[in-house]
Amino acid sequence: MSDYELYYWSVPFRGQFVRALLAYAGKTWTEGGDEAISRLMDGPVKTMPVPFMGPPVLIDKAAGVALAQMPAVVLYLGETLGLTPAAPALRALALKVVNDANDVIDELTLDGGREMWTEARWRAFVPRLKKWMSFWEETGRRHGLRPGAGFLLGGEAPGVVDIVTAVLWSTMGERFEAIQAILDEAAPMTAALTRRVAALPPLAELAARARRDYGDAYCGGQIEASLRRVLGA
Ligand SMILES: N[C@@H](CCC(=O)N[C@@H](CS)C(=O)NCC(=O)O)C(=O)O
């Protein structure tokens, strides 16, 4: 029997952070799948494992815990798997970085495709994307990340923020060369951290599985098609 049940679409988007934490910690999980997600979302709130508007939803079977909202799920896993810093201020900062990652993917998909990317919109967004990237660089600089070494909030081993950082920028960078080029230039220490952490065997295996199961897909839908159009990807 698996340790967890995860409800997330068949794409390596918001739910990929959750998959990565489970994979990194050597946990097993089963995926409810797209049909079950739609059924749950369209069903009565009373029968939901936890009230939720959109996935990811994670169920920790042994603990009898069900959670939604990606940063809450990631914080729960970080805490229970021993991947968050000990100091309360650093734990809160870790959650802040996870929220930043969630904001970045919302902005990159224009809030789930409320409108589509055009070249003009993308051009206007690039300075903002670079500013987001610089947050990682500056946070790392303040806490011990160095060129080619260290972790985002210090420490001797990857923590929850390093895994989220690696998934955020590697999943995006592998699918959109133009974004990878911006990251390499705007945030070189973050790009190097991303490469180091994404190369760890459980995360590399998860990325290969995403390729196998979801192909080139990132967030899916028309918004991904419009992003590919403006980025020539
Ligand atoms: N704030 C939520 C956003 C959840 C969300 O927007 N999920 C998307 C998939 S990435 C979805 O399918 N939403 C459907 C909906 O909101 O109706 C989180 O961080 O988990």
Side-chain angles (χ1 to χ4, degrees):
M1 197 185 91
S2 61
D3 305 314
Y4 300 82
E5 177 100 34
L6 173 64
Y7 290 91
Y8 193 69
W9 306 116
S10 316
V11 286
F13 191 55
R14 207 184 309 269
Q16 199 67 9
F17 301 111
V18 181
R19 293 184 181 121
L21 282 165
L22 293 171
Y24 180 80
K27 298 294 179 188
T28 57
W29 73 96
T30 49
E31 302 239 0
D34 296 352
E35 242 172 72
I37 297 169
S38 299
R39 220 179 310 117
L40 274 181
M41 277 170 68
D42 295 342
V45 172
K46 266 192 184 345
T47 62
M48 291 176 172
V50 59
F52 78 105
M53 199 59 84
V57 168
L58 181 76
I59 300 173
D60 177 345
K61 295 186 196 167
V65 169
L67 280 170
Q69 292 284 11
M70 185 278 276
V73 176
V74 163
L75 180 71
Y76 174 75
L77 287 177
E79 296 269 290
T80 52
L81 301 172
L83 294 168
T84 48
L90 280 183
R91 272 219 301 283
L93 185 59
L95 181 58
K96 180 267 186 196
V97 174
V98 176
N99 276 281
D100 281 352
N102 217 19
D103 283 3
V104 168
I105 65 170
D106 280 336
E107 291 195 10
L108 193 74
T109 51
L110 295 170
D111 291 324
R114 272 177 211 276
E115 46 187 8
M116 294 297 123
W117 283 111
T118 60
E119 291 197 5
R121 275 191 192 123
W122 179 259
R123 259 196 313 277
F125 177 60
V126 168
R128 195 172 161 94
L129 180 60
K130 287 185 182 167
K131 184 172 178 178
W132 274 122
M133 290 169 171
S134 79
F135 289 6
W136 267 263
E137 204 72 353
E138 184 59 23
T139 302
R141 199 188 324 274
R142 291 183 193 191
H143 292 88
L145 185 62
R146 300 179 303 287
F151 296 100
L152 201 79
L153 300 182
E156 297 303 311
V160 73
V161 284
D162 302 293
I163 294 159
V164 164
T165 298
V167 169
L168 172 69
W169 299 119
S170 69
T171 312
M172 206 186 286
E174 280 168 20
R175 285 160 184 78
F176 304 100
E177 228 175 271
I179 298 181
Q180 183 62 52
I182 298 172
L183 183 74
D184 285 335
E185 195 234 306
M189 290 196 301
T190 307
L193 173 71
T194 294
R195 287 194 177 94
R196 274 186 285 129
V197 175
L200 296 171
L203 296 186
E205 277 159 32
L206 182 70
R209 202 190 315 163
R211 281 266 168 221
R212 206 167 52 235
D213 293 351
Y214 320 132
D216 262 354
Y218 179 56
C219 52
Q222 292 176 18
I223 187 62
E224 176 168 340
S226 85
L227 186 59
R228 287 188 182 283
R229 252 190 323 272
V230 296
L231 294 180

